[in-house]
Amino acid sequence: MNLFAQQLINGLFIGSVYGLFAVGYTLVFGVLDILNLAHAAVFTLGGLSALWLAQHAGWSIWIAFPAATMLAGLLGLLLNAVAFAPLRHRSDSQFSGLISSIAMAIVFEALSLGLFGARAVRFPAGTVKVHIWQLGPSVTITSLQVSIVAVVVLLMVALTLFLKRSRAGKAIRAVAENERAALLLGIDVRGIIAFTFFISSALGGAAGILYGLYFDSLGPDMGRSIELKGLAVIILGGMGSIPGAILGGLAFGLSEVLTVAISGTSNLRDAVAFMVLFAILLLRPSGLLGRARMREA
Amino acid sequence: MEHLVQFYAIYGSLINFIGLNALLALSLNVTLAAGMLSLGNAAFAALGAYTAGILTVHYHLPFIPAIAAGAILPGLAAVVLGLPVLRLKGVFLAMATLAFGEVVRIAAVNLEITGGAEGLTGIPNVTNVWMIYLALALAAYFVAVLRRSQLGWGLLSIREDETAAACLGIPIFRYKLLAFVIGAMLAGLAGALYAHLNYLITPRDYGFFIAVDLLIYNIVGGTRAWYGPVMGAALLTALPEILRGIGVAAGPIRMGVNGLILLLVILFLPNGLASLINRPRAVTATPEASGQRA
């Protein structure tokens, strides 16, 4: 039972990182109806550059974290300018945008290989002081886990408030709803789309840093393992839905650890997750919290 | 002649891979012709490879029946998968076929008959370069004929506007399923040939990134004619070798150049490499069409 409780806790923590990653995906999809397959590469670069700032520039993680997050956001602007904006008015922009984002993913991955090398690296010891709290017999929770969830919750609350209340957030929602109408109302659609990429990529970069801290290992291929999971999470939660992405992330994290806990091996971990994804697509293609119209996308 | 032999000795495996990748790209081209974005063709290739490989290794079947089974079984799988899945569109179809691909990969890792994570070994090496190119030529001819057939025009009209196609009396679902099955069979054929070329197949051979590669070949080459995907597959399969030839060092730089070339083709050749040969009317959306999203 204790093992079970411990697994539940671990699943919630890793699930919140998946959720944060997926929010970036779903934000761009909600606004543009395009999958940005370079998101995982931005995730990697975000994590690796935070590591570099902490290790080689000797910054505290509390400064390196926001700096690397901003850097990831800038990569998002670059991504939009190079790979998405030029294709926007092509009839096949869904396909060609997908491919150009893959091209940028390859370029970003080459960049992270060139800058940071191919080896798996870790944050220097003591980057974050870790306390371990005993919740029960053999159920523990670390301060690192708590701060990860705190950061995720903070970012999500900030994002939600921003989208609900601020002028720019309302403009993003307007563009997502109907680009043409937004343009007619005098919204700077191109600027809003670029800004959406900035936020999306900054969140992706933040997820990369938290992922690296949690697993204590970063490398140029770390994005590959999360890319498919991120896609599964946004389908699960509903394309374009932010609460859906968080919920989907948590569900995915839990399903992973529970499959391992119940079956006793890690072989089936991904199989269960993808079967669930498959079933969701067939039974409720709009996802748990998605809007029905998205099905036509 | 001697030069040719020498050339083949050096580049033989590259030539084989260009042929196989072109065949795989053509298999996806059939599904793309109906506007269906499938990421399942790599998994169909894996099914074909494992079917044919298991038949020759464990059941000592001759080569030709094994290859045939390697094409037929993925076709059957495509019927079973397609019946529920082809109702989905766009990204959702892509995700469902992607999930199918992952399940196939994980099954191959966990089953005993597939040899687990280390893969199926000891497959007799029978496939020859001429077999690959014969299969490719036949497939290309088939795709070219298909495009001008009633089915081909039907698929094209489904791609352009499904509602209008339905109003014209085109049996949408049957046509889509047929295209999906044909694509799966071609992919299975490529997989079966690959299995008998390489002695060994592993679950990693046909994962998510291969599925994405097939899409890349099609978009880079152009999806509107049979030679598009063939050109895309040839260029992108040979690109690392070409870059090596002109002295681009291995590692991150070659990878980056690879990505940049892909980006340039997408940005500046909207209809792919095929438009270099035969310029079809540039298809650009009218503002009305692109401003209005479904």
Side-chain angles (χ1 to χ4, degrees):
Chain A
M1 194 58 222
N2 280 330
L3 182 71
F4 196 70
Q6 181 70 60
Q7 293 288 7
L8 269 181
I9 290 175
N10 292 350
L12 282 176
F13 289 118
I14 188 59
S16 65
V17 177
Y18 290 163
L20 186 61
F21 176 76
V23 164
Y25 252 138
T26 213
L27 200 58
V28 166
F29 188 86
V31 173
L32 290 177
D33 284 355
I34 282 181
L35 275 182
N36 168 19
L37 286 185
H39 195 56
V42 172
F43 164 91
T44 308
L45 274 175
L48 286 171
S49 49
L51 176 80
W52 189 90
L53 289 174
Q55 193 163 35
H56 295 274
W59 295 11
S60 142
I61 188 71
W62 301 108
I63 302 168
F65 184 90
T69 303
M70 285 299 126
L71 196 71
L74 294 179
L75 286 177
L77 290 181
L78 177 71
L79 196 60
N80 175 48
V82 176
F84 288 100
L87 298 172
R88 193 149 301 136
H89 289 293
R90 262 199 222 164
S91 63
D92 65 341
S93 69
Q94 274 213 353
F95 284 4
S96 54
L98 205 64
I99 307 291
S100 64
S101 71
I102 295 169
M104 285 307 281
I106 299 172
V107 171
F108 282 161
E109 199 176 322
L111 199 67
S112 50
L113 261 176
L115 291 177
F116 304 107
R119 281 177 306 117
V121 283
R122 48 172 50 181
F123 279 96
T127 305
V128 181
K129 289 200 182 59
V130 178
H131 299 283
I132 298 173
W133 290 300
Q134 207 73 33
L135 289 186
S138 76
V139 180
T140 59
I141 185 170
T142 66
S143 59
L144 176 64
Q145 291 177 319
V146 174
S147 12
I148 285 173
V149 168
V151 170
V152 172
V153 169
L154 196 72
L155 286 173
M156 284 308 104
V157 170
L159 179 69
T160 310
L161 284 179
F162 167 77
L163 287 176
K164 280 246 149 63
R165 300 280 166 79
S166 77
R167 217 178 150 74
K170 284 177 185 166
I172 288 180
R173 286 192 292 143
V175 174
E177 197 63 44
N178 188 329
E179 204 176 308
R180 220 167 142 72
L183 193 67
L184 288 173
L185 291 172
I187 291 172
D188 173 14
V189 170
R190 285 169 55 185
I192 286 297
I193 288 174
F195 188 53
T196 309
F197 268 96
F198 179 84
I199 299 176
S200 156
S201 297
L203 293 174
I209 304 167
L210 295 178
Y211 186 89
L213 283 169
Y214 187 73
F215 284 108
D216 201 19
S217 165
L218 300 104
D221 55 355
M222 65 191 246
R224 296 203 158 192
S225 64
I226 204 170
E227 181 158 28
L228 281 179
K229 289 174 190 165
L231 290 174
V233 164
I234 53 175
I235 295 283
L236 200 61
M239 300 292 260
S241 158
I242 287 169
I246 292 289
L247 200 67
L250 291 177
F252 205 88
L254 283 177
S255 93
E256 270 190 11
V257 293
L258 291 184
T259 314
V260 176
I262 292 166
S263 72
T265 65
S266 63
N267 291 341
L268 295 175
R269 191 181 65 191
D270 294 347
V272 170
F274 282 100
M275 302 262 223
V276 170
L277 170 64
F278 196 75
I280 292 264
L281 273 169
L282 296 184
L283 300 175
R284 198 176 148 75
S286 51
L288 296 176
L289 299 180
R291 285 170 291 175
R293 73 162 187 98
M294 283 301 187
R295 184 179 169 182
E296 295 292 322
Chain B
M1 193 59 207
E2 198 177 313
H3 287 292
L4 209 64
V5 170
Q6 203 173 19
F7 182 79
Y8 185 72
I10 300 171
Y11 292 109
S13 76
L14 179 67
I15 292 169
N16 287 335
F17 274 106
I18 287 177
L20 285 173
N21 285 342
L23 192 55
L24 282 171
L26 271 177
S27 82
L28 181 62
N29 187 259
V30 179
T31 32
L32 285 176
M36 297 185 289
L37 178 52
S38 160
L39 291 176
N41 281 37
F44 289 131
L47 273 182
Y50 274 111
T51 305
I54 287 169
L55 284 178
T56 46
V57 172
H58 292 308
Y59 298 98
H60 307 290
L61 226 64
F63 179 63
I64 298 289
I67 294 282
I72 291 168
L73 190 88
L76 294 177
V79 176
V80 176
L81 176 69
L83 282 175
V85 153
L86 291 183
R87 290 182 298 129
L88 301 168
K89 286 175 199 157
V91 180
F92 294 90
L93 177 63
M95 291 301 118
T97 47
L98 170 69
F100 166 72
E102 281 301 291
V103 172
V104 166
R105 187 182 64 79
I106 295 163
V109 172
N110 287 298
L111 287 178
E112 207 153 292
I113 196 164
T114 55
E118 281 120 62
L120 184 69
T121 52
I123 306 167
N125 177 286
V126 190
T127 305
N128 261 323
V129 65
W130 66 262
M131 293 181 197
I132 295 173
Y133 279 86
L134 179 67
L136 176 62
L138 290 177
Y141 179 72
F142 177 72
V143 169
V145 171
L146 183 76
R147 293 216 161 229
R148 290 169 195 287
S149 69
Q150 195 184 353
L151 175 63
W153 289 113
L155 292 176
L156 190 63
S157 65
I158 293 172
R159 166 185 172 147
E160 293 300 322
D161 189 334
E162 202 168 312
T163 316
C167 292
L168 290 172
I170 291 169
I172 304 239
F173 192 78
R174 203 186 314 155
Y175 273 27
K176 278 184 163 182
L177 188 63
L178 203 53
F180 196 59
V181 170
I182 292 170
M185 291 180 74
L186 286 177
L189 175 67
L193 288 171
Y194 169 78
H196 290 84
L197 178 73
N198 204 36
Y199 303 102
L200 158 84
I201 28 174
T202 68
R204 296 175 62 90
D205 289 347
Y206 289 111
F208 169 59
F209 295 97
I210 305 297
V212 172
D213 278 348
L214 301 189
L215 182 62
I216 294 178
Y217 298 153
N218 269 284
I219 302 294
V220 166
T223 56
R224 279 156 192 278
W226 65 267
Y227 45 83
V230 175
M231 288 170 77
L235 174 80
L236 292 172
T237 311
L239 192 59
E241 204 61 26
I242 297 170
L243 290 177
R244 193 179 66 93
I246 58 174
V248 178
I253 295 180
R254 194 186 293 168
M255 194 173 165
V257 172
N258 226 327
L260 280 178
I261 289 177
L262 184 58
L263 188 65
L264 291 178
V265 172
I266 284 297
L267 292 181
F268 298 109
L269 283 175
N271 291 314
L273 295 170
S275 59
L276 292 176
I277 298 184
N278 165 20
R279 285 188 177 269
R281 259 179 323 116
V283 181
T284 44
T286 52
E288 284 88 325
S290 63
Q292 202 76 45
R293 283 189 275 108

